Amino acid sequence: MEMNGKKIIYADNAATTAVSPAVLDAMLPFYKELYGNPSSLYSVGTAAKKPLEEARAKVAKCLNAEPNEIYFTSGGSEGDNWAIKGAAHKMAKQGKTHIITSKFEHHAVLHTCAALEKEGFTVTYLDVHENGIVVPEELEAAITDKTGLVTIMYANNEIGTIQPIPEIGEICKRHGILFHTDAVQAVGNVPIDVKAQNIDMLSLSGHKLHAPKGVGALYIRKGIVLPNLIDGGAQERNRRAGTENVAGIVGLGVAMEIATATMEEKNAKLRRMQDKLITEILKIDRSRLNGDRVKRLPGNISFCFEGVEGESLLLMLDLKGVCASSGSACTSGSLDPSHVLLAIGLKHEVAHGSLRLSFSDVNDESDVDYIIEVLPQIVERLRSMSPLWDAIIHGRA
Amino acid sequence: MAYSEKVMEHFANPHNVGEMKDADGVGEVGNPKCGDIMRMYIKVEDDVITDVKFMTFGCGAAIATSSMATDLVKGKRIEDALKLTNKAVMEALDGLPPVKVHCSVLAEQAIKAAVSDYYRRRGIDPTPIVGEIPECEEGHCHV
């Protein structure tokens, strides 16, 4: 990619992805001639209705769900809020007011759980250990006769670790507990089968898999009736009113279809890139890989470099044309380091020096080679001016 | 978050970086838990800061404010260096994003800490001259 004549390596695909040409081509007619409201009876409207339902079928197929179990939303946060608040309130009617989640969920889950705690729900936040993975036995041990809902992410957004979703699904089924998973990072990267994996609700977002921002879906297993998210018209089986984002939904359908069809080939390439990058970068003194080396998304790499602060690292990478992100607090405007890195047991000062690189099919091995060339120099430069590094190598920190 | 061009200039090519072996005063402020530590070294002759160096662990603003603050006190008389405010550092950098204002406060405090150390080494109690330098507590090291 080029910007102002400068080569740019986009290594932040976990933040968002570029809309792919195939997705954009599929969407454009719905901004031009097929602009009708799908709920209208005349041909311009009905012409939009059919592609909407086709997209629903495509999304369903990729998850091994039924089309009428897919509800289109504005994205991952909306799906998380709807599923968790809806399921919590539903289960509360049966006296089930306990929720189990993990310490390193996305804020769309954590803040939703915090809001429910204020309403009187109790929430257990499971440990994710040093490797960034929930232990199913610990989850089962946390279940009480009040537990109504478990919400565990499919794969972590910062460190990419993949959770034991089938095992958790099986436990929840056995105990008659609803199971929701935030699969925003996993969809399109990991094979998902909601039936085989006993998933009751699953949130996903389009812009993580080359569909546009502002569109996503929530899968809700047939038979689970959640309170309506938006009251109004009859869209989305009366549950989420509002004229559909037809172009976005069509784009999501195409993006899901492509991601699922190309997953194996894409992942083989991403795994090769990941292995090379991890091996080379870990040669840097006092660097560490965050999260399990194997049970992680193929496109995700998360490092910490002692004695270096994450924002400076990102700015230096940006000066070299590499777009990356950090769990560093400075980037989010808060002084606290990432809750994810603290949850896997990192000390504050180490968690400040984090770097997340996330690749997709827009990247190739030359990107990895370039990062391997510039990153060690940047770390060395920042350490050369860091009093903390000075203290670390002299054993004073 | 967007930094001014001036901030990026000082971040990309900071002035006065490095250690000073024969410093007359060394001050360190900040705390690794908060993600910022600044250490400043001064060389003093006839009450004039003839040389100044810094070492900083921190974000882009922490490095840029260190660079700017050292520029602003270099060659100054100690009494004038002590008049350096975080506002002056920010203005010289064409402003900072609100969440980064604390970096300019740290830079001001780092200079004061180095001057205090200079006085202490000469057996002079710095508090009446320099004033109190607040300890950086976890989560409270910003204004």
Side-chain angles (χ1 to χ4, degrees):
Chain A
M1 178 167 82
E2 287 206 357
M3 200 176 256
N4 306 323
K6 191 175 143 194
K7 185 175 157 54
I8 299 284
I9 291 176
Y10 185 73
D12 201 14
N13 289 277
T16 195
T17 57
V19 173
S20 72
V23 167
L24 186 61
D25 285 348
M27 290 171 64
L28 285 176
F30 298 93
Y31 289 122
K32 291 177 178 171
E33 57 272 20
L34 300 175
Y35 54 80
N37 187 322
S39 302
S40 302
L41 290 179
Y42 42 78
S43 57
V44 179
T46 51
K49 180 76 178 168
K50 198 170 159 237
L52 185 76
E53 293 314 317
E54 282 169 0
R56 199 184 305 280
K58 284 177 188 168
V59 172
K61 192 171 172 224
C62 295
L63 303 172
N64 193 25
E66 303 303 321
N68 61 9
E69 295 176 317
I70 302 298
Y71 297 84
F72 290 114
T73 64
S74 66
S77 294
E78 182 184 316
D80 288 344
N81 270 263
W82 187 8
I84 296 169
K85 286 178 184 159
H89 290 143
K90 173 186 161 72
M91 296 307 280
K93 289 185 187 144
Q94 303 164 30
K96 308 259 188 188
T97 53
H98 176 230
I99 299 164
I100 301 174
T101 186
S102 82
K103 284 182 181 166
F104 76 163
E105 296 294 310
H106 190 276
H107 284 129
V109 170
L110 287 181
H111 290 178
T112 299
C113 287
L116 289 167
E117 280 181 296
K118 281 195 185 140
E119 288 181 30
F121 286 86
T122 52
V123 180
T124 298
Y125 298 89
L126 293 174
D127 216 336
V128 292
H129 306 277
E130 202 198 336
N131 64 352
I133 297 176
V134 165
V135 175
E137 291 75 23
E138 290 176 2
L139 183 140
E140 189 160 21
I143 294 173
T144 71
D145 55 2
K146 293 260 187 204
T147 309
L149 173 67
V150 167
T151 174
I152 302 285
M153 68 200 328
Y154 212 113
N156 184 266
N157 50 312
E158 271 184 50
I159 61 173
T161 49
I162 299 169
Q163 304 306 308
I165 295 302
E167 289 87 341
I168 296 171
E170 191 274 322
I171 293 169
C172 291
K173 188 183 179 193
R174 194 150 33 81
H175 289 267
I177 296 166
L178 290 178
F179 174 37
H180 165 257
T181 184
D182 172 340
V184 166
Q185 295 289 336
V187 170
N189 296 311
V190 180
I192 296 176
D193 181 330
V194 292
K195 288 196 178 80
Q197 299 171 352
N198 291 305
I199 297 167
D200 293 316
M201 292 163 284
L202 176 147
S203 329
L204 65 92
S205 176
H207 74 108
K208 310 290 188 182
L209 52 135
H210 306 290
K213 295 159 188 70
V215 66
L218 177 65
Y219 151 80
I220 310 173
R221 183 189 293 282
K222 207 182 292 174
I224 298 171
V225 182
L226 296 186
N228 294 350
L229 179 67
I230 302 174
D231 290 311
Q235 294 90 353
E236 300 306 297
R237 300 162 61 83
N238 296 308
R239 307 271 186 91
R240 192 225 189 235
T243 301
E244 300 89 342
N245 169 9
V246 179
I249 289 168
V250 168
L252 175 64
V254 173
M256 292 268 304
E257 199 172 49
I258 296 173
T260 309
T262 59
M263 192 185 297
E264 216 170 301
E265 190 189 340
K266 181 192 75 172
N267 283 358
K269 177 180 138 189
L270 289 175
R271 287 280 181 215
R272 277 199 306 276
M273 289 162 57
Q274 185 185 50
D275 264 352
K276 186 171 182 184
L277 195 53
I278 291 174
T279 306
E280 290 303 315
I281 297 307
L282 285 181
K283 289 179 183 166
I284 297 176
D285 189 23
R286 302 220 186 208
S287 59
R288 56 163 285 147
L289 177 72
N290 299 316
D292 197 278
R293 178 155 181 166
V294 178
K295 290 177 188 162
R296 67 191 306 131
L297 294 172
N300 172 291
I301 298 154
S302 167
F303 294 111
C304 278
F305 303 100
E306 287 186 43
V308 170
E309 194 279 333
E311 190 205 274
S312 291
L313 196 61
L314 297 186
L315 291 172
M316 291 261 180
L317 279 168
D318 184 41
L319 292 172
K320 295 276 185 191
V322 179
C323 308
S325 75
S326 165
S328 157
C330 287
T331 47
S332 63
S334 127
L335 289 174
D336 297 323
S338 140
H339 71 285
V340 172
L341 299 178
L342 296 181
I344 59 167
L346 296 195
K347 289 195 284 185
H348 279 65
E349 48 269 45
V350 177
H352 278 299
S354 66
L355 171 69
R356 178 185 71 181
L357 298 165
S358 47
F359 300 102
S360 77
D361 25 18
V362 301
N363 300 102
D364 59 38
E365 305 211 12
S366 71
D367 295 348
V368 166
D369 291 339
Y370 181 71
I371 291 168
I372 290 169
E373 185 190 322
V374 299
L375 184 55
Q377 299 164 13
I378 291 172
V379 171
E380 194 186 321
R381 168 129 198 261
L382 289 170
R383 281 175 172 174
S384 76
M385 59 171 102
S386 165
L388 186 60
W389 178 246
D390 185 51
I392 289 165
I393 53 174
H394 289 102
R396 283 180 273 118
Chain B
M1 180 180 57
Y3 284 131
S4 69
E5 276 181 35
K6 202 96 189 159
V7 171
M8 284 310 292
E9 214 177 282
H10 276 262
F11 168 73
N13 295 297
H15 306 170
N16 313 306
V17 184
E19 287 177 290
M20 195 191 285
K21 295 270 183 262
D22 56 347
D24 297 315
V26 183
E28 189 171 301
V29 294
N31 148 351
K33 279 191 114 175
C34 303
D36 298 293
I37 313 173
M38 291 183 192
R39 187 192 295 161
M40 296 209 182
Y41 305 83
I42 51 171
K43 187 90 194 138
V44 181
E45 274 168 45
D46 300 330
D47 285 337
V48 172
I49 298 176
T50 55
D51 197 11
V52 53
K53 292 260 186 259
F54 82 85
M55 295 275 280
T56 290
F57 161 80
C59 59
I63 291 171
T65 54
S66 303
S67 169
M68 183 52 86
T70 51
D71 266 1
L72 290 172
V73 299
K74 199 169 178 177
K76 292 264 167 66
R77 297 185 64 77
I78 284 187
E79 56 187 275
D80 293 325
L82 287 174
K83 288 181 195 147
L84 178 76
T85 62
N86 77 299
K87 271 212 170 104
V89 176
M90 280 204 289
E91 278 164 17
L93 287 168
D94 296 336
L96 284 176
V99 293
K100 300 296 183 180
V101 172
H102 76 279
C103 294
S104 65
V105 174
L106 275 183
E108 174 197 320
Q109 289 172 354
I111 298 286
K112 289 187 169 148
V115 171
S116 293
D117 183 55
Y118 165 72
Y119 281 125
R120 243 180 261 115
R121 290 184 191 199
R122 299 181 56 186
I124 300 166
D125 176 13
T127 316
I129 309 164
V130 182
E132 292 281 351
I133 298 167
E135 276 289 303
C136 173
E137 289 167 48
E138 189 190 339
H140 299 284
C141 56
H142 57 299
V143 286

